[in-house]
Amino acid sequence: VICEIDKEKTNLQMIEKSKRNGKYKAKPIVRARMEPLSVSFVMDNPLGVDVELKHLQLVATLKDAQSSRICTTEDAILIGSTDEDDSSIGGKQWTFKSSQLTFQTPHFCRTSPEGVDEVGGTLTPWTSPSSSSNDGQEEEPFFVVTKTNITLEPETEAKVSLGICPLVRGDLEIIGVRFKLFDDVWLYHKFQPLGPLLNDTRMNRANRARGESTILKATVGGDMPYLTAHIFPADPAPQVEVSDKEELVLHGQISRWTLRLSNIGTAAATNLTLKTNIPWVNISSSGSSTTEKRGGSSSISDTARVSQCVGPTGTLMELPISGGKKNGIIDSGETVDVPILVRTSGTGKQEFYMLYRYELHDPSSSPSPPSSNLSRWIRKMVNVPVYPSLALSASIMPSSWKNDEHILSVEITNQRSDRPVNMEITMDKIGVTSRHYKLERLLGQLGDANDEPQPLKLGWQERVAMHYRVIPRSTETSICTVSECTFMEGVIHSGSPRASLNNMASTDYLCLEHAHTKFQSSLKAHQNEMLKITADEDDQRRHPRSISQIRRAKSSLSGVTDSEGTNSDGIGSAISDSIPSIHPTSLASVCPTETSASAINIVCSWSAVGGGNVQDRIVTGQHHLTHVRVRPQMKTKTCPITLTANHPASVSHDFTNGPASVPMEIVVRNRVVAESIHFDFELDRSGSIEFTGAECFEWTLEGGEELRVAIQAFVASPGVYDLQNVRITVDDDDGTRTPYVFPLQWMVTVKDRS
């Protein structure tokens, strides 16, 4: 995708460069038949009296592509009648779906003959809509225009917009404007648009020469679809389009919206895609691309795409068209509603940009659905005011209870400011998405277990911290699963990633934002690399390159394949067919197998009273944190070793027989997933405790490996003792040695039973 972006930028630069050439001829824009066009211009009245203008209309010429006949209104030539009113041309009116204006046959409209008269040997005379053709039928114009009456006040300007609609295929040129002054005299003004400046030669630049303007020219093609798009909330006001003055939403709020697509063109549309600037849209509920049938039951494939996404951006998706006459096709005059979920993010006024692309439906082509290369675009911008809801943060540390477990601490703060009252947020569920870990809440945090469960509600500016056990699964699952806990009942579910959080797809937005963030970071890194290459090339142009530099540049561009089958870009020349295709927006991309033991993803759902200025109602939302580090994948600056100890909590001993012995087992574990750790183990002796056993040794632990050390501690008198006296010294890669002590307490109570 990034290579295609670079290629598109290069092509645009070449096109802009070619436009500066004096021989370059710009092509007129392509328009569709029976689609009105609008031309705006300014009229100035320099006189001191009111000027009344009637029958204000455009003057144009259109050459039919099939018969080469010409229809024009350029010269004030009247054929077939001397009456200049609309009645002379039949008073016929046209209306089109894509416009609310009424069109009429232009004044002084005439059409050229088709060929030579076989009888007389002379050309057939020109005809007009007011006259009749040879077969007695009325001649139809090639284009129709709008007509209006205005009055210009003294010494004022007025902006006028006039319409024109071609009815046949061909070449259209808008020449000027015609009007009737004081209902007596016809006047005609010719437009003189300025063409682009020519900068190809020194003379053209000095004389500010300009090329031919194509702004008022168009090539009229065949019938085309013309879609309009509107987006509005599905509830409570389904007919009110979203704007910045209507509904306020919260950060993380998930709402049901509707995309309404209407085809007001003259042909059917197909292959609709939607591109957004931020990953707000989720349309997975309307499709089944992420489910597959196995033995009569449906299961979730974590390698499939979510939200009908195309490509790695997480913001380009296919729109599923159903409910019309044909699936995937919007016929002329048809309207289709696409239900979507929208999760708003950020704070302040957010600009939600949508770009729709659709193609002309071609029934003669073989692909399904049939399409052609002719496509169109719709741009839509919505300003959405987003208010803060809650702040979610998490930290994780190794457990001192069990060596393979971790303690997850989640801190939630209510930061609402969208309303003066009813600003409470009710916490619903929290889940962990992982292949390797599951979640279990520590008991006793929300009252006694025997009490009736109450929902956790956060008032304005309130903060709560919840603690959970992150427990490794006995066997790593083949698909990524969600382990969920409510804020009042402990573990309630552990299963499919599509498990419902507030009836919303719990992991779809997690996947979309992960793909979007990853693509943006890759694109930014690529742009920085290109800027660096451009700067190096500029420096090289200042000095001649050596032969070795030229050879290195050629070898880097050739992409020579090494002995391991990879080219100079590090991309393998062959990929095994046994490896499943993982879509960038899939759950498998968020939870890759190679790093599943090192990180987790947290999803938290909530509900609140919202609605902004519309009405109070219950809204739901979701926050998530991606790639919360459980264990480091490689060595970091923190200690890579964790310690736990197994020892009795109390010991009873008769001190008349000698010092008391406290057996203990120290478990040393390498937290790093993919690297071995070489370290020195040492027990620091204190004045009141003596140790026997492996007090000092050197060892190497592979990634995730653990070592159990049996120790005997001796105390000479009763009391409470801290047995934690371990010092670990780790050998770093650069040869330095880093000592670590641990802020743990292994307390034991020794009693005298004599």
Side-chain angles (χ1 to χ4, degrees):
V1 175
I2 295 178
C3 294
E4 291 295 327
I5 293 176
D6 291 340
K7 184 179 179 180
E8 184 70 18
K9 289 183 178 179
T10 303
N11 293 337
L12 292 177
Q13 291 175 358
M14 294 181 63
I15 292 174
E16 291 297 327
K17 185 177 180 180
S18 64
K19 288 181 179 180
R20 295 192 293 267
N21 190 348
K23 298 181 180 180
Y24 174 79
K25 292 184 178 180
K27 296 182 179 180
I29 192 171
V30 178
R31 302 289 185 178
R33 188 180 71 92
M34 299 185 70
E35 281 191 7
L37 310 178
S38 178
V39 178
S40 299
F41 54 92
V42 177
M43 301 188 72
D44 182 16
N45 178 16
L47 304 178
V49 296
D50 293 340
V51 177
E52 182 182 4
L53 308 179
K54 289 187 176 182
H55 306 301
L56 191 63
Q57 58 191 281
L58 292 175
V59 177
T61 297
L62 195 155
K63 182 178 181 181
D64 189 3
Q66 184 176 1
S67 62
S68 299
R69 299 178 65 192
I70 298 176
C71 181
T72 182
T73 59
E74 182 176 3
D75 298 322
I77 301 176
L78 193 63
I79 298 177
S81 176
T82 58
D83 190 0
E84 298 174 351
D85 283 338
D86 290 343
S87 59
S88 65
I89 52 178
K92 187 175 180 180
Q93 296 181 346
W94 284 262
T95 57
F96 304 95
K97 297 178 182 178
S98 57
S99 176
Q100 298 180 352
L101 301 176
T102 300
F103 292 80
Q104 301 176 7
T105 302
H107 283 84
F108 307 107
C109 178
R110 63 191 185 281
T111 307
S112 66
E114 295 184 1
V116 177
D117 187 359
E118 296 181 357
V119 179
T122 59
L123 292 176
T124 304
W126 287 58
T127 59
S128 68
S130 59
S131 63
S132 299
S133 59
N134 295 332
D135 55 2
Q137 296 181 357
E138 185 177 346
E139 182 78 15
E140 293 289 345
F142 288 2
F143 60 89
V144 290
V145 297
T146 60
K147 300 178 182 179
T148 185
N149 301 328
I150 64 172
T151 300
L152 296 178
E153 297 180 357
E155 299 180 356
T156 58
E157 292 183 353
K159 185 177 181 180
V160 182
S161 294
L162 298 177
I164 183 173
C165 182
L167 304 181
V168 298
R169 300 176 58 185
D171 297 327
L172 174 67
E173 181 180 4
I174 300 174
I175 304 174
V177 62
R178 175 178 285 121
F179 53 88
K180 200 171 187 181
L181 183 63
F182 297 116
D183 200 17
D184 187 28
V185 180
W186 281 100
L187 295 181
Y188 162 66
H189 176 79
K190 187 175 183 180
F191 294 139
Q192 296 179 350
L194 298 178
L197 290 172
L198 301 180
N199 298 320
D200 55 332
T201 63
R202 184 178 301 176
M203 181 177 296
N204 286 339
R205 289 193 295 269
N207 297 330
R208 298 185 61 82
R210 292 184 177 271
E212 183 182 3
S213 175
T214 60
I215 189 173
L216 296 178
K217 295 182 179 181
T219 300
V220 182
D223 294 342
M224 285 289 294
Y226 191 121
L227 296 189
T228 60
H230 302 278
I231 182 171
F232 49 83
D235 54 356
Q239 301 300 327
V240 179
E241 188 172 4
V242 174
S243 69
D244 56 349
K245 295 183 180 180
E246 290 167 359
E247 184 174 9
L248 308 179
V249 294
L250 299 175
H251 170 60
Q253 177 179 331
I254 299 178
S255 309
R256 298 188 182 275
W257 289 11
T258 300
L259 288 177
R260 175 159 295 175
L261 303 172
S262 301
N263 187 358
I264 58 176
T266 56
T270 186
N271 292 342
L272 273 75
T273 55
L274 171 63
K275 179 68 174 71
T276 62
N277 59 334
I278 43 183
W280 280 15
V281 176
N282 177 19
I283 56 177
S284 62
S285 59
S286 58
S288 58
S289 62
T290 56
T291 60
E292 54 185 7
K293 297 293 183 179
R294 295 181 181 177
S297 62
S298 61
S299 62
I300 302 299
S301 173
D302 62 351
T303 61
R305 63 179 181 175
V306 301
S307 188
Q308 307 290 329
C309 279
V310 179
T313 62
T315 55
L316 176 63
M317 58 205 73
E318 298 175 346
L319 291 179
I321 304 302
S322 59
K325 298 179 181 178
K326 300 178 182 179
N327 287 336
I329 298 173
I330 304 180
D331 288 330
S332 176
E334 196 172 42
T335 298
V336 176
D337 289 345
V338 181
I340 61 173
L341 298 178
V342 175
R343 179 184 179 271
T344 51
S345 59
T347 56
K349 183 171 288 188
Q350 300 293 320
E351 292 185 346
F352 182 34
Y353 179 75
M354 295 171 287
L355 180 63
Y356 301 84
R357 182 185 183 273
Y358 57 96
E359 297 179 357
L360 169 67
H361 171 65
D362 186 6
S364 61
S365 57
S366 57
S368 179
S371 63
S372 65
N373 294 328
L374 299 178
S375 60
R376 281 186 165 183
W377 308 81
I378 310 175
R379 296 180 179 90
K380 189 77 173 179
M381 177 75 75
V382 178
N383 292 324
V384 182
V386 182
Y387 282 77
S389 56
L390 59 83
L392 177 67
S393 61
S395 61
I396 195 166
M397 62 178 298
S399 173
S400 58
W401 181 22
K402 291 187 178 181
N403 58 345
D404 57 347
E405 293 186 5
H406 294 76
I407 301 299
L408 172 66
S409 299
V410 179
E411 191 174 85
I412 307 171
T413 307
N414 184 349
Q415 296 183 341
R416 292 188 64 178
S417 60
D418 58 305
R419 55 194 300 129
V421 294
N422 294 333
M423 290 195 294
E424 289 184 342
I425 296 179
T426 302
M427 307 309 301
D428 183 22
K429 303 175 187 176
I430 187 169
V432 166
T433 304
S434 175
R435 301 176 187 268
H436 192 79
Y437 298 100
K438 61 181 180 179
L439 192 67
E440 183 176 328
R441 196 189 72 202
L442 294 177
L443 300 179
Q445 300 185 73
L446 298 175
D448 192 353
N450 297 325
D451 297 339
E452 183 179 355
Q454 296 292 332
L456 176 60
K457 293 185 178 181
L458 294 181
W460 179 66
Q461 294 296 319
E462 282 188 351
R463 178 181 301 176
V464 66
M466 299 293 294
H467 307 282
Y468 300 87
R469 295 171 60 194
V470 181
I471 306 172
R473 299 181 184 274
S474 57
T475 57
E476 186 169 328
T477 59
S478 59
I479 64 173
C480 189
T481 58
V482 177
S483 177
E484 297 177 357
C485 294
T486 63
F487 283 89
M488 56 183 179
E489 295 183 74
V491 176
I492 64 167
H493 182 80
S494 179
S496 166
R498 298 298 173 130
S500 169
L501 288 176
N502 282 341
N503 296 324
M504 305 294 182
S506 62
T507 59
D508 284 0
Y509 286 105
L510 182 70
C511 298
L512 293 175
E513 292 200 4
H514 168 264
H516 182 68
T517 303
K518 186 176 181 180
F519 176 78
Q520 290 294 329
S521 60
S522 300
L523 179 61
K524 186 175 181 180
H526 175 74
Q527 291 174 346
N528 293 336
E529 184 67 22
M530 295 301 296
L531 290 175
K532 183 179 179 181
I533 293 175
T534 303
D536 293 340
E537 291 178 352
D538 293 340
D539 293 339
Q540 292 176 0
R541 291 192 186 100
R542 300 174 184 175
H543 306 283
R545 293 189 299 172
S546 63
I547 296 177
S548 60
Q549 290 176 334
I550 297 175
R551 289 177 177 174
R552 283 196 299 268
K554 289 183 178 180
S555 62
S556 63
L557 293 175
S558 61
V560 181
T561 303
D562 57 19
S563 59
E564 296 183 357
T566 58
N567 55 27
S568 60
D569 296 329
I571 303 174
S573 57
I575 300 177
S576 175
D577 295 336
S578 61
I579 301 177
S581 177
I582 298 178
H583 197 272
T585 62
S586 64
L587 198 60
S589 179
V590 180
C591 305
T593 306
E594 58 273 11
T595 60
S596 61
S598 63
I600 59 175
N601 303 281
I602 301 174
V603 182
C604 178
S605 63
W606 49 268
S607 61
V609 177
N613 299 329
V614 180
Q615 64 182 25
D616 289 346
R617 67 181 189 278
I618 300 300
V619 298
T620 58
Q622 176 180 298
H623 281 59
H624 46 254
L625 301 174
T626 58
H627 298 96
V628 178
R629 187 68 61 188
V630 179
R631 294 170 53 192
Q633 189 74 13
M634 308 296 289
K635 287 183 180 179
T636 61
K637 295 182 180 180
T638 60
C639 180
I641 299 296
T642 60
L643 297 179
T644 57
N646 299 321
H647 61 86
S650 62
V651 174
S652 180
H653 179 71
D654 186 0
F655 285 93
T656 60
N657 298 327
S661 174
V662 181
M664 61 181 300
E665 183 184 51
I666 301 176
V667 181
V668 184
R669 190 168 189 262
N670 180 8
R671 296 181 61 235
V672 182
V673 176
E675 284 191 10
S676 60
I677 301 297
H678 183 78
F679 64 93
D680 292 344
F681 179 91
E682 182 181 0
L683 283 173
D684 293 337
R685 293 178 176 270
S686 62
S688 58
I689 304 177
E690 294 289 336
F691 295 98
T692 61
E695 301 181 41
C696 182
F697 60 88
E698 183 179 352
W699 202 265
T700 300
L701 288 177
E702 298 298 329
E705 192 178 5
E706 63 180 33
L707 174 67
R708 297 179 179 271
V709 183
I711 299 292
Q712 289 286 335
F714 294 92
V715 294
S717 60
V720 180
Y721 296 90
D722 183 8
L723 304 180
Q724 208 292 98
N725 291 284
V726 179
R727 179 189 297 268
I728 297 291
T729 303
V730 178
D731 295 338
D732 297 328
D733 295 335
D734 56 359
T736 60
R737 295 169 58 83
T738 305
Y740 295 96
V741 293
F742 299 86
L744 305 174
Q745 288 184 331
W746 300 338
M747 308 303 296
V748 61
T749 302
V750 181
K751 301 178 181 179
D752 188 1
R753 69 179 182 210
S754 59

